[in-house]
Amino acid sequence: MQNGHATEAPPNPGIVFEMMQAIHRTAALKAAIELDVFRAVGEGPGDVASIARHSNASERGTRILCDFLVINGVLAKEGNCYKHTPTSAAFLDPRSPACLASTAHFLGNNAMQDPLHKLAQIVREGRTSLPGDGSVEPENPIWVQFAETMAPMMGPLAGPLGAVVLEGHQGPMRVLDIAAGHGLFGIEIAKQKKDAHVTGLDWAPVLRVALKNAEKAGVHDRYEMLPGSAFDVDFGGPYDAVLLTNFLHHFDKPTCVGLLKKVHRALKPGGRAATLEFVPNEDRVSPPQAAAFSMVMLTTTPAGDAYTFSELSSMYDEAGFTGVKAHPIPGSPHTVVVGNA
Amino acid sequence: MQNGHATEAPPNPGIVFEMMQAIHRTAALKAAIELDVFRAVGEGPGDVASIARHSNASERGTRILCDFLVINGVLAKEGNCYKHTPTSAAFLDPRSPACLASTAHFLGNNAMQDPLHKLAQIVREGRTSLPGDGSVEPENPIWVQFAETMAPMMGPLAGPLGAVVLEGHQGPMRVLDIAAGHGLFGIEIAKQKKDAHVTGLDWAPVLRVALKNAEKAGVHDRYEMLPGSAFDVDFGGPYDAVLLTNFLHHFDKPTCVGLLKKVHRALKPGGRAATLEFVPNEDRVSPPQAAAFSMVMLTTTPAGDAYTFSELSSMYDEAGFTGVKAHPIPGSPHTVVVGNA
């Protein structure tokens, strides 16, 4: 029994109604971000009239929206005034460095959400309804948007990933960051290790975002760019470590194995390949956030998935890696999986 | 402090991500209903291949969809087989008399969901983005769909509402059921009381649905139809009781008071007006399901709301009623509010 709790609870129509109306929650978050409600609440005083003025919005709409945000735990209410919860202060007020508004913008973009309106068709056909190969179509411009917007979500993961990759490593280091995106993972390694040189690989317009971030971090003199497709370009090398962050889940198993073989060939003996993934338990239905990611892959790719550790481990094995280990990142739904060449 | 729990919990980005992706949950429920997944699971054996065959769907899509339903508590998983939870067996398997699939269809229709994509604009303007008066536009065909689909949601409320209306009443009874819809509330009274005569008021095409239900219940010889708008037609009377179910929330307070005055004039002295409403607490953010209903009114009407008891009570008072009382219906987000003429 994987889900004893849900199986044994008494029948509850509220679960079904809540699911029917869950779309309201996504819509309310998007609208509140667009209307700059979280800044207005942070700046105070937090009454409906002040927020409505700030947002150039009606009082009726503002009140109902803000109440709805309170119901959903991303605002609080004291009398007739709204204030931040710790969560909304940290992750939704644009004055916070950890603000996730840009991430909400990416996850709410048309390419990610339009397929949801055709989900029955997608389940029938078993692949995204987006044109071509969906999110993995070559040069898909959504990856520039990903690079530009996902730093607040991905930034906190760079430290833990870097620690796993660097653990026990002595001396100078060459690192290849495949599907670099915003570049934060490779940049973090260059920041943690002053004799590390990083090569970022991604579509050229994406790499321009990574290079800007490398400049901001002051590591651009040790940052090289390798534009193109991970499946086509010559990796060069040999490298001490290869990063494969948020990448394997877009492809089917044979494609992942083929890529891991190519990575293996580009590594020095004993070098490390580190993937950052949503890794559900073997039951595929827990923990919820990692397991639910397979729905994103169903709707936006032809054959991607949220792979379990046994699946990832088999792929690594088949590509010639040994000592494959999972390092869950505490407080996040992500796991770093590392193998040795 | 209305929301101490959320205010004091540590910051949790998972709350924000879950909200960004909540739209997946509504999409998955709709797709599973469309693909008849809940019947396939109920009939067994519940493995992916069998469900996929039943649904004429891919195995990849079926597996990911079913796992997602497990994550959300509307299926369970044993090994590689899916089975019902008590909730999905009762409320999602079309073989169950309490199945809510038709309700999901109504709540997921375009008129209810399209405005969600324009929520920022709606908050700015303070009213629905739907043409005209939205869901309360005269003769809006969605009310025929409401009447045809909402019986599974509303049926269980008819008994408790009837008990409140009938309590202590002696002798023959004339009842006016305003915005009768499916007619179940008036029909229930006719079923409970053999000397009750019910007049259903609604748009003519809606009343045809109510009459069919009255025939099914065997009470059509005591069921009359009064087609038209509650604001325009002569109510006739005098009545012992007037039902106003799921109606006041669509309108602003002056409109509600005007209608309640008209209801008062149609009642015998001592007669009862009973409304069925989502009634949030005075904080307007609890309990969650009743409070969140205001978002439905914001997106689909020009000026409706989920009114608190003090607001409803004031409206009744202003219209001349006395002894106004709230009767929450146990296990449901609804409340019956009764006043005496």
Side-chain angles (χ1 to χ4, degrees), chain A residues 177-208:
Chain A
D177 186 2
I178 294 178
H182 40 70
L184 296 187
F185 295 110
I187 289 166
E188 175 68 20
I189 289 180
K191 280 165 68 181
Q192 287 191 28
K193 197 156 168 40
K194 301 298 171 198
D195 53 358
H197 281 74
V198 177
T199 302
L201 186 161
D202 213 319
W203 308 114
V206 180
L207 283 180
R208 285 194 280 275

PDB file of all heavy atoms in Angstrom, chain A residues 177-208:
ATOM      1  N   ASP A 177      29.583  22.557 -17.757  1.00  0.00           N
ATOM      2  CA  ASP A 177      28.213  22.760 -17.257  1.00  0.00           C
ATOM      3  C   ASP A 177      27.246  22.648 -18.436  1.00  0.00           C
ATOM      4  O   ASP A 177      27.045  23.608 -19.190  1.00  0.00           O
ATOM      5  CB  ASP A 177      28.123  24.141 -16.585  1.00  0.00           C
ATOM      6  CG  ASP A 177      26.762  24.372 -15.917  1.00  0.00           C
ATOM      7  OD1 ASP A 177      25.914  23.462 -15.934  1.00  0.00           O
ATOM      8  OD2 ASP A 177      26.563  25.473 -15.360  1.00  0.00           O
ATOM      9  N   ILE A 178      26.683  21.450 -18.595  1.00  0.00           N
ATOM     10  CA  ILE A 178      25.781  21.181 -19.736  1.00  0.00           C
ATOM     11  C   ILE A 178      24.394  21.751 -19.449  1.00  0.00           C
ATOM     12  O   ILE A 178      23.860  21.577 -18.356  1.00  0.00           O
ATOM     13  CB  ILE A 178      25.691  19.663 -19.993  1.00  0.00           C
ATOM     14  CG1 ILE A 178      27.050  19.135 -20.458  1.00  0.00           C
ATOM     15  CG2 ILE A 178      24.599  19.348 -21.024  1.00  0.00           C
ATOM     16  CD1 ILE A 178      27.090  17.636 -20.689  1.00  0.00           C
ATOM     17  N   ALA A 179      23.798  22.401 -20.465  1.00  0.00           N
ATOM     18  CA  ALA A 179      22.510  23.081 -20.292  1.00  0.00           C
ATOM     19  C   ALA A 179      22.642  24.089 -19.159  1.00  0.00           C
ATOM     20  O   ALA A 179      21.853  24.104 -18.218  1.00  0.00           O
ATOM     21  CB  ALA A 179      21.372  22.096 -20.028  1.00  0.00           C
ATOM     22  N   ALA A 180      23.655  24.942 -19.304  1.00  0.00           N
ATOM     23  CA  ALA A 180      24.041  25.863 -18.227  1.00  0.00           C
ATOM     24  C   ALA A 180      22.910  26.820 -17.847  1.00  0.00           C
ATOM     25  O   ALA A 180      22.773  27.202 -16.690  1.00  0.00           O
ATOM     26  CB  ALA A 180      25.274  26.649 -18.639  1.00  0.00           C
ATOM     27  N   GLY A 181      22.112  27.243 -18.819  1.00  0.00           N
ATOM     28  CA  GLY A 181      20.995  28.155 -18.505  1.00  0.00           C
ATOM     29  C   GLY A 181      21.530  29.457 -17.931  1.00  0.00           C
ATOM     30  O   GLY A 181      22.396  30.120 -18.515  1.00  0.00           O
ATOM     31  N   HIS A 182      21.041  29.820 -16.776  1.00  0.00           N
ATOM     32  CA  HIS A 182      21.507  30.989 -16.031  1.00  0.00           C
ATOM     33  C   HIS A 182      22.970  30.855 -15.618  1.00  0.00           C
ATOM     34  O   HIS A 182      23.593  31.845 -15.216  1.00  0.00           O
ATOM     35  CB  HIS A 182      20.645  31.169 -14.796  1.00  0.00           C
ATOM     36  CG  HIS A 182      20.321  29.850 -14.167  1.00  0.00           C
ATOM     37  ND1 HIS A 182      21.271  29.085 -13.528  1.00  0.00           N
ATOM     38  CD2 HIS A 182      19.171  29.138 -14.178  1.00  0.00           C
ATOM     39  CE1 HIS A 182      20.692  27.942 -13.147  1.00  0.00           C
ATOM     40  NE2 HIS A 182      19.420  27.960 -13.527  1.00  0.00           N
ATOM     41  N   GLY A 183      23.541  29.668 -15.684  1.00  0.00           N
ATOM     42  CA  GLY A 183      24.961  29.457 -15.397  1.00  0.00           C
ATOM     43  C   GLY A 183      25.306  29.331 -13.924  1.00  0.00           C
ATOM     44  O   GLY A 183      26.476  29.102 -13.570  1.00  0.00           O
ATOM     45  N   LEU A 184      24.289  29.457 -13.054  1.00  0.00           N
ATOM     46  CA  LEU A 184      24.586  29.594 -11.615  1.00  0.00           C
ATOM     47  C   LEU A 184      25.324  28.395 -11.018  1.00  0.00           C
ATOM     48  O   LEU A 184      26.075  28.551 -10.057  1.00  0.00           O
ATOM     49  CB  LEU A 184      23.301  29.827 -10.824  1.00  0.00           C
ATOM     50  CG  LEU A 184      22.549  31.127 -11.123  1.00  0.00           C
ATOM     51  CD1 LEU A 184      21.393  31.294 -10.140  1.00  0.00           C
ATOM     52  CD2 LEU A 184      23.478  32.333 -11.058  1.00  0.00           C
ATOM     53  N   PHE A 185      25.108  27.207 -11.573  1.00  0.00           N
ATOM     54  CA  PHE A 185      25.725  26.020 -10.965  1.00  0.00           C
ATOM     55  C   PHE A 185      27.236  26.009 -11.221  1.00  0.00           C
ATOM     56  O   PHE A 185      28.037  25.812 -10.306  1.00  0.00           O
ATOM     57  CB  PHE A 185      25.045  24.742 -11.473  1.00  0.00           C
ATOM     58  CG  PHE A 185      23.610  24.662 -11.040  1.00  0.00           C
ATOM     59  CD1 PHE A 185      22.576  24.802 -11.947  1.00  0.00           C
ATOM     60  CD2 PHE A 185      23.304  24.484  -9.700  1.00  0.00           C
ATOM     61  CE1 PHE A 185      21.248  24.746 -11.531  1.00  0.00           C
ATOM     62  CE2 PHE A 185      21.978  24.421  -9.271  1.00  0.00           C
ATOM     63  CZ  PHE A 185      20.949  24.562 -10.196  1.00  0.00           C
ATOM     64  N   GLY A 186      27.614  26.245 -12.488  1.00  0.00           N
ATOM     65  CA  GLY A 186      29.049  26.313 -12.792  1.00  0.00           C
ATOM     66  C   GLY A 186      29.705  27.503 -12.109  1.00  0.00           C
ATOM     67  O   GLY A 186      30.833  27.405 -11.591  1.00  0.00           O
ATOM     68  N   ILE A 187      29.003  28.627 -12.109  1.00  0.00           N
ATOM     69  CA  ILE A 187      29.540  29.853 -11.493  1.00  0.00           C
ATOM     70  C   ILE A 187      29.818  29.620 -10.010  1.00  0.00           C
ATOM     71  O   ILE A 187      30.840  30.066  -9.469  1.00  0.00           O
ATOM     72  CB  ILE A 187      28.548  31.028 -11.706  1.00  0.00           C
ATOM     73  CG1 ILE A 187      28.550  31.438 -13.181  1.00  0.00           C
ATOM     74  CG2 ILE A 187      28.891  32.208 -10.805  1.00  0.00           C
ATOM     75  CD1 ILE A 187      27.389  32.352 -13.576  1.00  0.00           C
ATOM     76  N   GLU A 188      28.922  28.897  -9.339  1.00  0.00           N
ATOM     77  CA  GLU A 188      29.093  28.610  -7.914  1.00  0.00           C
ATOM     78  C   GLU A 188      30.387  27.832  -7.676  1.00  0.00           C
ATOM     79  O   GLU A 188      31.117  28.099  -6.711  1.00  0.00           O
ATOM     80  CB  GLU A 188      27.892  27.804  -7.406  1.00  0.00           C
ATOM     81  CG  GLU A 188      27.995  27.338  -5.964  1.00  0.00           C
ATOM     82  CD  GLU A 188      27.937  28.470  -4.941  1.00  0.00           C
ATOM     83  OE1 GLU A 188      27.453  29.565  -5.293  1.00  0.00           O
ATOM     84  OE2 GLU A 188      28.401  28.233  -3.797  1.00  0.00           O
ATOM     85  N   ILE A 189      30.661  26.886  -8.578  1.00  0.00           N
ATOM     86  CA  ILE A 189      31.903  26.110  -8.421  1.00  0.00           C
ATOM     87  C   ILE A 189      33.122  27.008  -8.618  1.00  0.00           C
ATOM     88  O   ILE A 189      34.090  26.936  -7.858  1.00  0.00           O
ATOM     89  CB  ILE A 189      31.886  24.905  -9.383  1.00  0.00           C
ATOM     90  CG1 ILE A 189      30.849  23.909  -8.838  1.00  0.00           C
ATOM     91  CG2 ILE A 189      33.265  24.273  -9.520  1.00  0.00           C
ATOM     92  CD1 ILE A 189      30.686  22.665  -9.633  1.00  0.00           C
ATOM     93  N   ALA A 190      33.048  27.889  -9.613  1.00  0.00           N
ATOM     94  CA  ALA A 190      34.157  28.837  -9.818  1.00  0.00           C
ATOM     95  C   ALA A 190      34.316  29.753  -8.605  1.00  0.00           C
ATOM     96  O   ALA A 190      35.435  30.159  -8.253  1.00  0.00           O
ATOM     97  CB  ALA A 190      33.901  29.669 -11.076  1.00  0.00           C
ATOM     98  N   LYS A 191      33.196  30.095  -7.958  1.00  0.00           N
ATOM     99  CA  LYS A 191      33.280  30.940  -6.753  1.00  0.00           C
ATOM    100  C   LYS A 191      33.876  30.162  -5.576  1.00  0.00           C
ATOM    101  O   LYS A 191      34.700  30.698  -4.816  1.00  0.00           O
ATOM    102  CB  LYS A 191      31.871  31.448  -6.365  1.00  0.00           C
ATOM    103  CG  LYS A 191      31.415  32.639  -7.200  1.00  0.00           C
ATOM    104  CD  LYS A 191      29.920  32.903  -7.089  1.00  0.00           C
ATOM    105  CE  LYS A 191      29.504  33.393  -5.705  1.00  0.00           C
ATOM    106  NZ  LYS A 191      28.010  33.606  -5.681  1.00  0.00           N
ATOM    107  N   GLN A 192      33.456  28.917  -5.419  1.00  0.00           N
ATOM    108  CA  GLN A 192      33.947  28.119  -4.291  1.00  0.00           C
ATOM    109  C   GLN A 192      35.396  27.702  -4.481  1.00  0.00           C
ATOM    110  O   GLN A 192      36.111  27.466  -3.503  1.00  0.00           O
ATOM    111  CB  GLN A 192      33.069  26.858  -4.091  1.00  0.00           C
ATOM    112  CG  GLN A 192      31.697  27.140  -3.493  1.00  0.00           C
ATOM    113  CD  GLN A 192      30.977  25.849  -3.055  1.00  0.00           C
ATOM    114  OE1 GLN A 192      31.595  24.850  -2.711  1.00  0.00           O
ATOM    115  NE2 GLN A 192      29.645  25.897  -3.077  1.00  0.00           N
ATOM    116  N   LYS A 193      35.853  27.578  -5.733  1.00  0.00           N
ATOM    117  CA  LYS A 193      37.191  27.032  -5.991  1.00  0.00           C
ATOM    118  C   LYS A 193      37.911  27.946  -6.975  1.00  0.00           C
ATOM    119  O   LYS A 193      37.560  28.004  -8.157  1.00  0.00           O
ATOM    120  CB  LYS A 193      37.039  25.613  -6.569  1.00  0.00           C
ATOM    121  CG  LYS A 193      38.302  24.786  -6.503  1.00  0.00           C
ATOM    122  CD  LYS A 193      38.014  23.306  -6.516  1.00  0.00           C
ATOM    123  CE  LYS A 193      39.280  22.497  -6.750  1.00  0.00           C
ATOM    124  NZ  LYS A 193      40.490  22.951  -6.084  1.00  0.00           N
ATOM    125  N   LYS A 194      38.922  28.658  -6.473  1.00  0.00           N
ATOM    126  CA  LYS A 194      39.543  29.722  -7.265  1.00  0.00           C
ATOM    127  C   LYS A 194      40.378  29.194  -8.430  1.00  0.00           C
ATOM    128  O   LYS A 194      40.751  29.956  -9.333  1.00  0.00           O
ATOM    129  CB  LYS A 194      40.424  30.616  -6.358  1.00  0.00           C
ATOM    130  CG  LYS A 194      39.637  31.266  -5.221  1.00  0.00           C
ATOM    131  CD  LYS A 194      38.529  32.199  -5.740  1.00  0.00           C
ATOM    132  CE  LYS A 194      37.614  32.657  -4.613  1.00  0.00           C
ATOM    133  NZ  LYS A 194      36.324  33.193  -5.049  1.00  0.00           N
ATOM    134  N   ASP A 195      40.734  27.892  -8.402  1.00  0.00           N
ATOM    135  CA  ASP A 195      41.476  27.331  -9.537  1.00  0.00           C
ATOM    136  C   ASP A 195      40.594  26.431 -10.406  1.00  0.00           C
ATOM    137  O   ASP A 195      41.082  25.559 -11.119  1.00  0.00           O
ATOM    138  CB  ASP A 195      42.724  26.578  -9.055  1.00  0.00           C
ATOM    139  CG  ASP A 195      42.398  25.529  -7.993  1.00  0.00           C
ATOM    140  OD1 ASP A 195      41.206  25.421  -7.606  1.00  0.00           O
ATOM    141  OD2 ASP A 195      43.326  24.828  -7.548  1.00  0.00           O
ATOM    142  N   ALA A 196      39.285  26.664 -10.353  1.00  0.00           N
ATOM    143  CA  ALA A 196      38.370  25.937 -11.246  1.00  0.00           C
ATOM    144  C   ALA A 196      38.123  26.766 -12.499  1.00  0.00           C
ATOM    145  O   ALA A 196      37.933  27.982 -12.425  1.00  0.00           O
ATOM    146  CB  ALA A 196      37.056  25.649 -10.524  1.00  0.00           C
ATOM    147  N   HIS A 197      38.123  26.093 -13.648  1.00  0.00           N
ATOM    148  CA  HIS A 197      37.719  26.716 -14.915  1.00  0.00           C
ATOM    149  C   HIS A 197      36.438  26.051 -15.397  1.00  0.00           C
ATOM    150  O   HIS A 197      36.364  24.823 -15.417  1.00  0.00           O
ATOM    151  CB  HIS A 197      38.820  26.552 -15.969  1.00  0.00           C
ATOM    152  CG  HIS A 197      39.925  27.536 -15.784  1.00  0.00           C
ATOM    153  ND1 HIS A 197      40.866  27.422 -14.761  1.00  0.00           N
ATOM    154  CD2 HIS A 197      40.230  28.688 -16.457  1.00  0.00           C
ATOM    155  CE1 HIS A 197      41.703  28.448 -14.834  1.00  0.00           C
ATOM    156  NE2 HIS A 197      41.347  29.231 -15.840  1.00  0.00           N
ATOM    157  N   VAL A 198      35.478  26.888 -15.783  1.00  0.00           N
ATOM    158  CA  VAL A 198      34.160  26.359 -16.132  1.00  0.00           C
ATOM    159  C   VAL A 198      33.841  26.631 -17.594  1.00  0.00           C
ATOM    160  O   VAL A 198      34.084  27.739 -18.090  1.00  0.00           O
ATOM    161  CB  VAL A 198      33.071  26.995 -15.233  1.00  0.00           C
ATOM    162  CG1 VAL A 198      31.680  26.510 -15.641  1.00  0.00           C
ATOM    163  CG2 VAL A 198      33.343  26.690 -13.766  1.00  0.00           C
ATOM    164  N   THR A 199      33.300  25.602 -18.275  1.00  0.00           N
ATOM    165  CA  THR A 199      32.796  25.775 -19.634  1.00  0.00           C
ATOM    166  C   THR A 199      31.284  25.596 -19.605  1.00  0.00           C
ATOM    167  O   THR A 199      30.786  24.537 -19.203  1.00  0.00           O
ATOM    168  CB  THR A 199      33.414  24.722 -20.583  1.00  0.00           C
ATOM    169  OG1 THR A 199      34.840  24.860 -20.534  1.00  0.00           O
ATOM    170  CG2 THR A 199      32.924  24.914 -22.003  1.00  0.00           C
ATOM    171  N   GLY A 200      30.589  26.632 -20.000  1.00  0.00           N
ATOM    172  CA  GLY A 200      29.122  26.559 -20.042  1.00  0.00           C
ATOM    173  C   GLY A 200      28.658  26.168 -21.436  1.00  0.00           C
ATOM    174  O   GLY A 200      29.085  26.772 -22.423  1.00  0.00           O
ATOM    175  N   LEU A 201      27.781  25.158 -21.516  1.00  0.00           N
ATOM    176  CA  LEU A 201      27.240  24.713 -22.810  1.00  0.00           C
ATOM    177  C   LEU A 201      25.744  24.963 -22.837  1.00  0.00           C
ATOM    178  O   LEU A 201      25.015  24.545 -21.929  1.00  0.00           O
ATOM    179  CB  LEU A 201      27.544  23.218 -22.986  1.00  0.00           C
ATOM    180  CG  LEU A 201      27.192  22.564 -24.331  1.00  0.00           C
ATOM    181  CD1 LEU A 201      27.971  21.257 -24.485  1.00  0.00           C
ATOM    182  CD2 LEU A 201      25.721  22.321 -24.533  1.00  0.00           C
ATOM    183  N   ASP A 202      25.290  25.653 -23.852  1.00  0.00           N
ATOM    184  CA  ASP A 202      23.844  25.872 -24.040  1.00  0.00           C
ATOM    185  C   ASP A 202      23.661  26.556 -25.382  1.00  0.00           C
ATOM    186  O   ASP A 202      24.645  26.876 -26.077  1.00  0.00           O
ATOM    187  CB  ASP A 202      23.244  26.709 -22.892  1.00  0.00           C
ATOM    188  CG  ASP A 202      21.790  26.318 -22.573  1.00  0.00           C
ATOM    189  OD1 ASP A 202      21.012  26.079 -23.519  1.00  0.00           O
ATOM    190  OD2 ASP A 202      21.460  26.228 -21.383  1.00  0.00           O
ATOM    191  N   TRP A 203      22.410  26.808 -25.775  1.00  0.00           N
ATOM    192  CA  TRP A 203      22.174  27.595 -26.983  1.00  0.00           C
ATOM    193  C   TRP A 203      22.816  28.976 -26.783  1.00  0.00           C
ATOM    194  O   TRP A 203      22.772  29.529 -25.680  1.00  0.00           O
ATOM    195  CB  TRP A 203      20.683  27.753 -27.241  1.00  0.00           C
ATOM    196  CG  TRP A 203      19.933  26.447 -27.249  1.00  0.00           C
ATOM    197  CD1 TRP A 203      18.991  26.053 -26.355  1.00  0.00           C
ATOM    198  CD2 TRP A 203      20.078  25.376 -28.179  1.00  0.00           C
ATOM    199  NE1 TRP A 203      18.531  24.800 -26.668  1.00  0.00           N
ATOM    200  CE2 TRP A 203      19.184  24.348 -27.788  1.00  0.00           C
ATOM    201  CE3 TRP A 203      20.877  25.173 -29.312  1.00  0.00           C
ATOM    202  CZ2 TRP A 203      19.065  23.151 -28.484  1.00  0.00           C
ATOM    203  CZ3 TRP A 203      20.752  23.974 -30.006  1.00  0.00           C
ATOM    204  CH2 TRP A 203      19.871  22.986 -29.595  1.00  0.00           C
ATOM    205  N   ALA A 204      23.358  29.537 -27.878  1.00  0.00           N
ATOM    206  CA  ALA A 204      24.108  30.796 -27.780  1.00  0.00           C
ATOM    207  C   ALA A 204      23.325  31.918 -27.073  1.00  0.00           C
ATOM    208  O   ALA A 204      23.882  32.587 -26.192  1.00  0.00           O
ATOM    209  CB  ALA A 204      24.574  31.240 -29.171  1.00  0.00           C
ATOM    210  N   PRO A 205      22.037  32.119 -27.392  1.00  0.00           N
ATOM    211  CA  PRO A 205      21.338  33.235 -26.723  1.00  0.00           C
ATOM    212  C   PRO A 205      21.176  32.993 -25.217  1.00  0.00           C
ATOM    213  O   PRO A 205      21.104  33.933 -24.435  1.00  0.00           O
ATOM    214  CB  PRO A 205      19.954  33.268 -27.393  1.00  0.00           C
ATOM    215  CG  PRO A 205      20.053  32.397 -28.603  1.00  0.00           C
ATOM    216  CD  PRO A 205      21.174  31.440 -28.389  1.00  0.00           C
ATOM    217  N   VAL A 206      21.140  31.729 -24.826  1.00  0.00           N
ATOM    218  CA  VAL A 206      21.044  31.400 -23.407  1.00  0.00           C
ATOM    219  C   VAL A 206      22.369  31.711 -22.719  1.00  0.00           C
ATOM    220  O   VAL A 206      22.409  32.270 -21.609  1.00  0.00           O
ATOM    221  CB  VAL A 206      20.673  29.910 -23.209  1.00  0.00           C
ATOM    222  CG1 VAL A 206      20.581  29.574 -21.724  1.00  0.00           C
ATOM    223  CG2 VAL A 206      19.363  29.573 -23.921  1.00  0.00           C
ATOM    224  N   LEU A 207      23.459  31.355 -23.391  1.00  0.00           N
ATOM    225  CA  LEU A 207      24.786  31.558 -22.781  1.00  0.00           C
ATOM    226  C   LEU A 207      25.082  33.028 -22.512  1.00  0.00           C
ATOM    227  O   LEU A 207      25.868  33.358 -21.626  1.00  0.00           O
ATOM    228  CB  LEU A 207      25.881  30.948 -23.666  1.00  0.00           C
ATOM    229  CG  LEU A 207      26.010  29.425 -23.581  1.00  0.00           C
ATOM    230  CD1 LEU A 207      27.126  28.946 -24.507  1.00  0.00           C
ATOM    231  CD2 LEU A 207      26.261  28.949 -22.147  1.00  0.00           C
ATOM    232  N   ARG A 208      24.449  33.905 -23.288  1.00  0.00           N
ATOM    233  CA  ARG A 208      24.660  35.332 -23.004  1.00  0.00           C
ATOM    234  C   ARG A 208      24.148  35.685 -21.609  1.00  0.00           C
ATOM    235  O   ARG A 208      24.723  36.543 -20.928  1.00  0.00           O
ATOM    236  CB  ARG A 208      23.980  36.192 -24.082  1.00  0.00           C
ATOM    237  CG  ARG A 208      24.758  36.196 -25.401  1.00  0.00           C
ATOM    238  CD  ARG A 208      24.282  37.292 -26.352  1.00  0.00           C
ATOM    239  NE  ARG A 208      23.070  36.929 -27.078  1.00  0.00           N
ATOM    240  CZ  ARG A 208      23.044  36.222 -28.216  1.00  0.00           C
ATOM    241  NH1 ARG A 208      24.175  35.773 -28.759  1.00  0.00           N
ATOM    242  NH2 ARG A 208      21.910  35.944 -28.812  1.00  0.00           N
TER     243      ARG A 208
END
